[in-house]
Amino acid sequence: MLRAGVRKIGRIMETAAAQGMIQEETTPKGMPRLTSAASDEDIDARIRGYSEVWHHSAGTAAMGKNIQDSVVDAELNVHGLKNLRVVDASVFPEPISATPQATVYAIAELAAVLISRSVVQSER
C-alpha cells in the first residue's frame, strides 16, 4: 500500500504542472531518487529506513471475546496461547479520543492485578 502511494506521488510529480513547482527531490544520503519507475526494492528501502508514525498506533492486537475478531481476551491473554499477555495500546478495540497515556497506564494497572491474581492461583 505504501509502495503504491509512493508510485502515485512519483506520477504526480512527473506531470508538467508539478515539474514547474519542484526543482528536485532531496534524497537521504546513499538513497536513489524515487520516480514512478523506481524499483520495488528502492521504494521499500526508503519506506523502511525513513518512514515514521506521527499518530498513536493502537488496536493492532485488539481485545475481544473470540479469536475470530480479536487477538486478546478481557484478561489480556492472547487467544490460544498460555502465559502470554499483551499490555499496551495495541489491545484497544476501538480508537480513543484522547492521548493514550492515561489509558495505557490503566491497562498496565489492570495487567498487574490480573498477573498477580494468576500467580496466586497457580501457587494454590
Side-chain angles (χ1 to χ4, degrees):
M1 180 184 242
L2 290 175
R3 189 186 306 144
V6 170
R7 286 197 195 287
K8 179 133 181 127
I9 290 169
R11 285 193 300 274
I12 292 168
M13 299 315 299
E14 292 162 0
T15 65
Q19 288 294 307
M21 295 185 285
I22 304 298
Q23 186 173 4
E24 67 182 352
E25 175 187 4
T26 303
T27 61
K29 188 174 183 175
M31 299 297 269
R33 287 197 167 95
L34 295 182
T35 67
S36 62
S39 71
D40 288 352
E41 292 78 18
D42 286 345
I43 293 172
D44 292 351
R46 180 79 67 87
I47 290 168
R48 272 193 309 276
Y50 296 93
S51 296
E52 295 184 35
V53 176
W54 290 89
H55 64 281
H56 301 290
S57 298
T60 56
M63 183 185 303
K65 294 180 181 178
N66 58 56
I67 199 167
Q68 288 77 28
D69 62 8
S70 62
V71 176
V72 299
D73 63 21
E75 294 195 355
L76 308 172
N77 295 299
V78 175
H79 293 298
L81 298 176
K82 291 184 179 198
N83 301 320
L84 180 61
R85 294 179 200 258
V86 177
V87 184
D88 62 18
S90 67
V91 302
F92 299 168
E94 298 288 333
I96 58 173
S97 61
T99 57
Q101 182 177 1
T103 311
V104 170
Y105 286 172
I107 294 287
E109 290 286 336
L110 171 65
V113 169
L114 295 170
I115 292 167
S116 295
R117 189 182 306 154
S118 69
V119 168
V120 168
Q121 288 175 351
S122 69
E123 291 175 350
R124 290 183 183 171

